[in-house]
Amino acid sequence: MANDLPQSSPPGARAPGQETPQNGSNVVLDDTGIRRALTRIAHEIVERNEDLSRLYLVAVPNGGVPLARQLAENLSAIADEEVTVGILDTTLYRDDLIVRGERPRLRRTEMPSVVDERVVVLVDDVASTGRTIRAAMDALMDFGRPTSVQVVALVDRGHRELPIKIDYVGKNIPTRTEDLVRLQGESGDLEGPLRVVVLPGGQEESA
Amino acid sequence: MIATDLLGIEGLDRSDLELILETAEHMQELGTRAVKKVPTLRGRTIVNLFFEASTRTRTSFEIAGKRLSADVINFSTSSSSLSKHESILDTARTLDAMQPDAVVVRHKVAGVPQQIAGVLDAPVINAGDGAHEHPTQALLDLLTVKQEKGRVDGLTVTIVGDIGHSRVARSNIQAFLRMGAEVRVAGPPTMLPPAVESLGVKAFTSMREALDGADVVMALRIQLERLEGALFPSIREYSETFGLSRSTLRYAKDDAIVMHPGPVNRGVELSHDLADHRPSVILDQVRNGVALRMAVLYLLAGRERAAEVSG
């Protein structure tokens, strides 16, 4: 969701203290819910793609990475096929670098195989404006010419600003644009049990 | 990064250095792709303002800017009004009116990039000023050492050559100290500034002692034209006493690496075989220079001075 922060938010992550405002952060998807969603999505991917050997899961960091790994496990359990997993940072392709003061930190990119002739499934944690997916597609095309590109989002908030369609949605969660939606681990990183929280926004900062 | 300009290592704290290195490590991945160009600085203009001849550094900045999709304009002494006695600051103001997003400055006089930064809206990046600083060289050297050794903290780095007249030495001493390395300098007494140890380094006039246990040995370029007959009796004597070869290198650690900012005077500060082969990492330094300068341009180009004040 690198690109999907509301425009009023500062670059970089918020201080941990800010993530539990007084009215409480709201867990909208817990670890069990996430696992169920990823199991269903894996089945949908199998259903829609006949030749799984050409499948290439490409995670948008950071949130997409643990999700893509879980999806790959699910796919190999269902279809007995090892699915390639890559990581593609979209930061250098963002469309909002001009309006920001401090530049966002880059994240890692690891693309272990070529994307030519592959069915690429982009995996992101939270989809909203569609700008991250747009940036990810531009980045992907610089790596080669995939046969097709599909998109997984664990959470779809709506608020689309570009004509982008999410092919596989874990859960639709209506939010206000100023809210923050985050995939979190228990201790701030993305290890162990995960959850999706909505952090009501719009109070401490204005646009 | 809090600062708008990159004028020297002096103004940077360890977290700034780490941010630049981390960004450069991500930029290195771009160099492994078939399409090495990203649209990040599309529509941005970077001016290379070189008052002193330089092919390597200028080219490195030019490639770095182009890989980020910026338009890169080269201004050099031979091709502009700089040879018509236009003052440096007038030239800078004229350039500024053309609204560049970053200006890369090299000048033979220390302090000129800082002066130019004072009249420009655009961020200024020092590409070498006199004997003062050459921050991107020190940063690419840090990047190369980190890549080779996995860390900088706790390493012993020996810099050999004309420490007193070298901006590369000056920037590298500060950069490696700030990252937690032990820094030693070595050279003939005439090339070691009197108060050099006040910088936090140990000074040696014996190569054997200077190299003992070193993880990194950095040879500086001897300015042949400037120094013959002045600071040491002859090139040959310098080379015999302070030139690096496989035999002098045996005083250092077995896995020590050899660095040089280039261009190398073969057979003077480095023996021929060392210049071309491991453990020298000179071409890695050049390669890392592009990624490092991409990182600096990414972090600085297009940022406004006003944004710095408001944080």
Side-chain angles (χ1 to χ4, degrees):
Chain A
M1 54 173 288
N3 237 2
D4 287 346
L5 297 171
Q7 296 219 329
S8 58
S9 72
R14 293 184 170 197
Q18 285 177 288
E19 301 210 342
T20 47
Q22 287 177 338
N23 46 353
S25 60
N26 186 8
V27 176
V28 290
L29 205 52
D30 62 9
D31 195 58
T32 313
I34 292 172
R35 286 176 181 281
R36 281 195 189 128
L38 293 175
T39 305
R40 174 176 51 77
I41 290 172
H43 280 99
E44 288 176 14
I45 291 173
V46 172
E47 198 176 298
R48 214 187 294 180
N49 296 280
E50 283 176 12
D51 184 4
L52 289 180
S53 67
R54 290 165 63 215
L55 212 61
Y56 191 170
L57 296 178
V58 174
V60 177
N62 294 317
V65 178
L67 304 178
R69 296 231 165 91
Q70 184 61 52
L71 267 180
E73 267 182 44
N74 296 352
L75 286 166
S76 69
I78 298 167
D80 197 27
E81 187 85 52
E82 283 300 314
V83 179
T84 317
V85 178
I87 301 170
L88 183 58
D89 181 29
T90 59
T91 310
L92 295 171
Y93 290 81
R94 286 167 67 147
D95 60 9
D96 61 347
L97 292 172
I98 289 168
V99 299
R100 287 162 179 270
E102 201 153 317
R103 295 277 153 83
R105 277 184 183 240
L106 302 185
R107 289 172 289 190
R108 73 198 154 111
T109 291
E110 284 171 30
M111 295 290 280
S113 39
V114 293
V115 305
D116 297 291
E117 317 278 315
R118 305 292 289 266
V119 174
V120 172
V121 178
L122 292 170
V123 182
D124 200 0
D125 51 358
V126 181
S128 181
T129 61
R131 289 175 192 272
T132 301
I133 301 301
R134 195 281 307 163
M137 285 196 290
D138 280 359
L140 199 57
M141 299 307 161
D142 280 355
F143 277 89
R145 187 179 186 278
T147 306
S148 67
V149 180
Q150 302 167 9
V151 181
V152 171
L154 180 60
V155 168
D156 188 352
R157 306 177 56 178
H159 309 298
R160 208 79 77 233
E161 293 169 1
L162 296 173
I164 300 274
K165 179 179 123 240
I166 311 295
D167 301 273
Y168 310 97
V169 178
K171 188 175 182 180
N172 285 295
I173 298 178
T175 54
R176 295 177 302 160
T177 44
E178 61 269 30
D179 293 342
L180 287 176
V181 180
R182 282 277 167 77
L183 178 68
Q184 299 180 333
E186 282 181 331
S187 52
D189 53 19
L190 290 167
E191 300 293 320
L194 299 174
R195 62 187 179 189
V196 176
V197 296
V198 174
L199 310 160
Q203 286 151 10
E204 63 268 73
E205 40 186 69
S206 55
Chain B
M1 290 240 330
I2 299 157
T4 312
D5 306 300
L6 177 61
L7 298 175
I9 299 296
E10 194 177 0
L12 302 178
D13 60 27
R14 184 163 175 166
S15 66
D16 291 327
L17 297 177
E18 281 169 351
L19 172 64
I20 297 169
L21 294 179
E22 180 198 309
T23 306
E25 281 164 354
H26 290 297
M27 292 298 183
Q28 285 177 315
E29 185 273 328
L30 279 174
T32 66
R33 301 184 189 177
V35 176
K36 296 178 173 57
K37 190 164 176 152
V38 287
T40 317
L41 296 181
R42 200 159 51 94
R44 302 273 174 177
T45 304
I46 294 164
V47 175
N48 280 331
L49 181 56
F50 278 61
F51 297 90
E52 185 185 78
S54 157
T55 309
R56 305 161 63 101
T57 305
R58 186 188 55 67
T59 307
S60 183
F61 270 107
E62 187 170 348
I63 292 174
K66 286 181 171 172
R67 290 214 175 143
L68 292 169
S69 297
D71 296 309
V72 183
I73 312 298
N74 292 312
F75 247 68
S76 53
T77 42
S78 56
S79 66
S80 75
S81 62
L82 297 177
S83 45
K84 293 184 220 155
H85 305 294
E86 189 178 0
S87 88
I88 291 163
L89 292 184
D90 280 345
T91 304
R93 284 195 190 94
T94 306
L95 271 179
D96 204 35
M98 300 178 199
Q99 299 175 288
D101 295 288
V103 178
V104 179
V105 179
R106 167 169 287 195
H107 199 285
K108 65 175 188 291
V109 176
V112 167
Q114 188 166 11
Q115 257 187 302
I116 288 177
V119 300
L120 250 60
D121 282 337
V124 172
I125 297 163
N126 181 1
D129 61 331
H132 178 225
E133 284 234 40
H134 191 355
T136 57
Q137 177 70 43
L139 285 160
L140 73 87
D141 288 340
L142 282 180
L143 181 65
T144 306
V145 168
K146 197 173 165 220
Q147 186 176 283
E148 287 289 326
K149 300 289 182 188
R151 68 193 164 104
V152 176
D153 211 331
L155 298 179
T156 299
V157 178
T158 302
I159 306 175
V160 183
D162 186 4
I163 307 299
H165 294 95
S166 169
R167 57 193 174 209
V168 173
R170 223 183 136 83
S171 288
N172 264 311
I173 287 169
Q174 299 179 78
F176 278 92
L177 286 175
R178 207 148 300 155
M179 292 297 288
E182 179 194 324
V183 181
R184 302 174 184 170
V185 297
T190 47
M191 290 183 171
L192 300 176
V196 67
E197 293 200 327
S198 69
L199 298 173
V201 303
K202 290 182 193 149
F204 296 87
T205 49
S206 145
M207 280 291 267
R208 185 172 194 147
E209 290 169 27
L211 294 187
D212 182 39
D215 300 281
V216 176
V217 186
M218 193 181 294
L220 299 175
R221 176 179 164 80
I222 289 297
Q223 307 285 337
L224 299 172
E225 56 286 357
R226 191 200 306 169
L227 295 180
E228 176 109 53
L231 298 183
F232 53 91
S234 74
I235 304 271
R236 191 167 153 202
E237 188 179 325
Y238 179 85
S239 162
E240 278 170 6
T241 318
F242 293 99
L244 268 181
S245 63
R246 291 200 189 271
S247 64
T248 45
L249 197 60
R250 71 178 191 274
Y251 302 130
K253 277 195 185 153
D254 290 342
D255 62 350
I257 55 168
V258 173
M259 303 174 77
H260 190 290
V264 178
N265 293 310
R266 284 160 186 269
V268 181
E269 62 264 5
L270 277 190
S271 65
H272 290 266
D273 59 332
L274 260 190
D276 294 322
H277 303 289
R278 302 275 316 179
S280 97
V281 293
I282 296 169
L283 292 180
D284 299 275
Q285 290 174 270
V286 176
R287 195 173 308 116
N288 289 338
V290 174
L292 187 280
R293 291 177 176 114
M294 287 173 76
V296 168
L297 291 173
Y298 168 70
L299 292 168
L300 296 183
R303 283 184 58 196
E304 289 172 21
R305 246 159 240 287
E308 177 191 11
V309 179
S310 66

